[in-house]
Amino acid sequence: MQYHNKPFDQLQIGDTAELTRFCTEDDFYAFASNSGNHNPLNLADEDGDGDNVNEAIAPEMFLGALISAVLGNILPGAGTLYKSQSLDFSARAYAGEELLARVTVIKKRDNREVVLETQVMRPSDAALIVSGIAVVIAPEKELSFNEIEVPGLVVERHRHFDALLDRSRPLPPIPTAVVAPEEPNSLGGALLAARETIIKPVLIGDPDKIAAAAREIELPLGDVEIVPVKDHLDAANNAVDLVVEGHVEALMKGHLHTDELLRAALRRDRGLRAGRRFTHVFVMDIPGQPHPLLVTDAAINIEPDLETKIDITQNAIDLAISIGIGAPKVGVLSAVETVNPAIRSSIDAALLSKMAERGQIRGGLVDGPLAMDNAVSLAAARTKGIVSEVAGRADILVVPNLDAGNMLAKQLTYIAHAEAAGVVLGARVPIILTSRADGEKARLVSCAVAALHAARMSGKI
C-alpha cells in the first residue's frame, strides 16, 4: 500500500480521513508491555474490578494511538508533528471489536498549524467511543511512501493452554499414580495439578527423597498418599498394578527413565496394552497461532512403519477430539507435497490419506503428503496450488519419524516460544510424559489433557 501526505498548502477545511482496526486481546498485552500500564481491567486473563468478569477493556491511550495512526499515515500524513490532543471518552471499547478512527480538518493557522476534529467509533452500533481536538504541525513538502514494514510482535501468551485448564477444572480430579516423583520438578508438577483439582495423586517412590523434594519446593505433602518403593522399576510396576486393579485412572512420569515406565506398562501379564501401539502426542500452544498444534510421534516410535502410523494418526485424532477440536485436520508430513516413490514418508502419507477416505481412520480429515510450509500456511498451500481442507489449516502434524518429530517440537519450544504438554496414548489409561526441562505450566496442562481424554473415553464428558 502506498501513502501520500497532504502538505499544509494543500489542506482544505473539511478534509477527512479514517482507518479501521480490529482490536485483539494480544493488542492490549502488547500495549501493556510497551507502555508499562498493567491495569488488569485491560487484560483478558485478569479481573480488574473484582466482579468475577475478565473485561479486556481497551486502554484509553491505545484508542488515542488509533487517532495518531490516521494523522501520521494519511491526513496530514508523513512529516506530521503533534502539538496537542484532547480526548473525551464517552464509551468503552473491548477486545474483539472493530473500531474506526476518523480525523477532519476544521481550521488552519499560521506556522503550518492545523486543527482537526478527532473521533473513534464502533461501526457495529455507531457508538462514539472517543472525541477530541488535535492540533498538529502539518508537513511542508509533499511526500509519498510505501507502507513501512516494521518488526512484527508476537505476544508470548499461552491462551490455548489456559482454555484447556478451564475445561478440565470442572471435572472430578483423576486418580493418578505418579511414579518416582523424587526431585522438585516432577513432584511440584503433581502437587500443583492436585492443588488445581485436576488430579488426585498417589506418589510411588522413595519416601525420604519425596519428602526432601517437598521441602526444597516448600510445598506441603499434606494427606497425599505415598506408596513406599525404593527401586524405579518396582515403582513403575506398582503404578501399573494400581491401574489394573482400578485404583487409578492415569499414570504420570516422575524422575525415572521413560523406558522403565513403558516397560512396566507393556508387560504381557497385567500390562496396559489396549489393542493399539503406544504413541506419544505433544499438544503445543504456539504464541500467535489460532489453535493448539498436535505433533506426533516425537518420543516413542523411532522409525514407524505404516501400521504404526495408522495408530499414531488415530490416537492423535482421538486426543484432539477430547481437547475440543471437533473435526481434527491431520497433515501427514514429508519433505515434499507430491508422492515420490523414493521418499517412503510421502508414500505412507498418501496411503494414510486414502485410508481415512475409506473409513479406516476415523474422526478427522487426513491429507498428505504435505510439506511443513503448506501444512500450516494457507499462503504456502495456495502458492503450491494445493486444494485441500487440511493444507494450511492442520491441527495435527504426523511426522515421518522420531528424529523429525523431536526436532520439530523442540524448535517450536525454543525458537517459537511454544509450551508443550506430553501424553502417551494407546494404553488402557493416558500416561502423562513430561520432560525434566518442562516448566510448571507444561506439567499442569499435560495433566489437564490426560484428564480430558480419560473423561471422554470413559463417557464422563
Side-chain angles (χ1 to χ4, degrees):
M1 181 175 181
Q2 192 169 58
Y3 291 110
H4 304 274
N5 74 347
K6 268 199 170 183
F8 181 80
D9 291 344
Q10 295 181 19
L11 288 170
Q12 302 291 326
I13 305 302
D15 284 349
T16 188
E18 59 188 37
L19 285 174
T20 58
R21 171 71 176 262
F22 182 81
C23 301
T24 68
E25 295 173 2
D26 283 355
D27 286 335
F28 301 166
Y29 278 98
F31 182 83
S33 177
N34 290 332
S35 69
N37 174 12
H38 297 170
N39 183 350
L41 275 172
N42 307 137
L43 305 179
D45 294 336
E46 308 295 333
D47 173 17
D49 56 7
D51 64 354
N52 297 316
V53 176
N54 298 1
E55 285 83 6
I57 298 172
E60 286 79 5
M61 291 300 103
F62 175 86
L63 300 176
L66 300 183
I67 295 169
S68 72
V70 186
L71 295 170
N73 288 331
I74 306 176
L75 189 72
T80 299
L81 293 172
Y82 252 128
K83 285 202 72 177
S84 66
Q85 172 76 64
S86 66
L87 299 170
D88 181 27
F89 299 92
S90 51
R92 302 297 170 195
Y94 296 85
E97 295 180 343
E98 185 179 65
L99 301 179
L100 182 148
R102 177 184 295 138
V103 303
T104 304
V105 176
I106 58 175
K107 190 180 297 185
K108 295 177 68 175
R109 298 174 176 168
D110 295 338
N111 301 317
R112 306 203 319 271
E113 286 189 7
V114 181
V115 182
L116 302 100
E117 181 184 25
T118 60
Q119 297 176 321
V120 177
M121 304 179 65
R122 183 167 49 231
S124 62
D125 60 0
L128 179 63
I129 309 294
V130 184
S131 59
I133 298 295
V135 180
V136 303
I137 299 174
E140 184 175 9
K141 297 179 180 178
E142 187 173 357
L143 298 170
S144 297
F145 65 98
N146 292 324
E147 186 171 12
I148 296 172
E149 185 175 338
V150 297
L153 296 176
V154 175
V155 176
E156 285 189 36
R157 178 169 163 252
H158 298 99
R159 59 179 180 272
H160 305 305
F161 273 11
D162 292 338
L164 288 174
L165 290 173
D166 289 341
R167 283 173 58 88
S168 70
R169 286 187 177 105
L171 298 173
I174 181 173
T176 302
V178 187
V179 186
E182 297 167 350
E183 53 80 47
N185 280 344
S186 56
L187 178 63
L191 294 181
L192 178 61
R195 189 174 66 195
E196 295 280 346
T197 69
I198 296 170
I199 70 170
K200 181 181 179 182
V202 177
L203 310 180
I204 304 173
D206 187 322
D208 294 332
K209 292 179 180 177
I210 293 171
R215 287 193 297 271
E216 186 171 342
I217 58 179
E218 299 181 345
L219 286 177
L221 292 170
D223 59 356
V224 175
E225 181 180 355
I226 299 176
V227 177
V229 180
K230 296 286 187 179
D231 179 80
H232 282 177
L233 186 55
D234 287 344
N237 283 321
N238 266 268
V240 172
D241 287 340
L242 290 179
V243 175
V244 173
E245 293 160 7
H247 297 305
V248 299
E249 299 171 21
L251 296 181
M252 183 174 183
K253 176 179 176 284
H255 191 55
L256 79 165
H257 291 297
T258 299
D259 59 355
E260 291 179 298
L261 180 58
L262 295 182
R263 193 179 307 134
L266 287 166
R267 66 193 187 190
R268 292 192 178 277
D269 296 325
R270 291 168 60 83
L272 302 182
R273 297 174 189 266
R276 288 189 199 157
R277 290 291 298 263
F278 284 17
T279 68
H280 180 271
V281 179
F282 275 123
V283 180
M284 310 204 74
D285 187 339
I286 307 165
Q289 293 302 303
H291 55 79
L293 187 67
L294 281 62
V295 176
T296 186
D297 180 339
I300 294 181
N301 294 283
I302 298 172
E303 287 288 346
D305 56 15
L306 178 63
E307 188 173 2
T308 302
K309 287 181 180 178
I310 295 169
D311 287 349
I312 287 172
T313 304
Q314 189 65 67
N315 284 342
I317 290 171
D318 291 345
L319 183 66
I321 293 170
S322 295
I323 65 172
I325 302 173
K329 299 177 181 67
V330 183
V332 188
L333 296 184
S334 183
V336 293
E337 61 278 344
T338 54
V339 177
N340 184 333
I343 303 177
R344 197 194 91 187
S345 61
S346 75
I347 299 173
D348 287 349
L351 291 171
L352 290 169
S353 179
K354 179 56 70 174
M355 293 176 77
E357 286 182 20
R358 299 286 173 86
Q360 294 172 268
I361 298 172
R362 300 173 302 279
L365 300 171
V366 181
D367 195 10
L370 293 173
M372 181 67 187
D373 57 347
N374 45 63
V376 298
S377 167
L378 276 171
R382 287 167 181 161
T383 298
K384 296 284 183 70
I386 300 172
V387 179
S388 163
E389 293 184 71
V390 175
R393 305 179 180 90
D395 302 300
I396 300 168
L397 299 178
V398 176
V399 298
N401 55 35
L402 185 144
D403 278 343
N406 196 271
M407 290 177 192
L408 173 58
K410 287 180 178 175
Q411 286 164 353
L412 292 173
T413 300
Y414 291 98
I415 297 176
H417 307 289
E419 286 275 10
V423 181
V424 174
L425 305 171
R428 287 167 54 182
V429 298
I431 302 172
I432 302 160
L433 201 62
T434 56
S435 165
R436 285 169 292 179
D438 285 344
E440 281 190 352
K441 192 156 199 175
R443 293 175 184 274
L444 188 60
V445 177
S446 295
C447 294
V449 168
L452 287 165
H453 187 61
R456 188 179 75 86
M457 299 308 287
S458 64
K460 294 178 182 177
I461 59 173

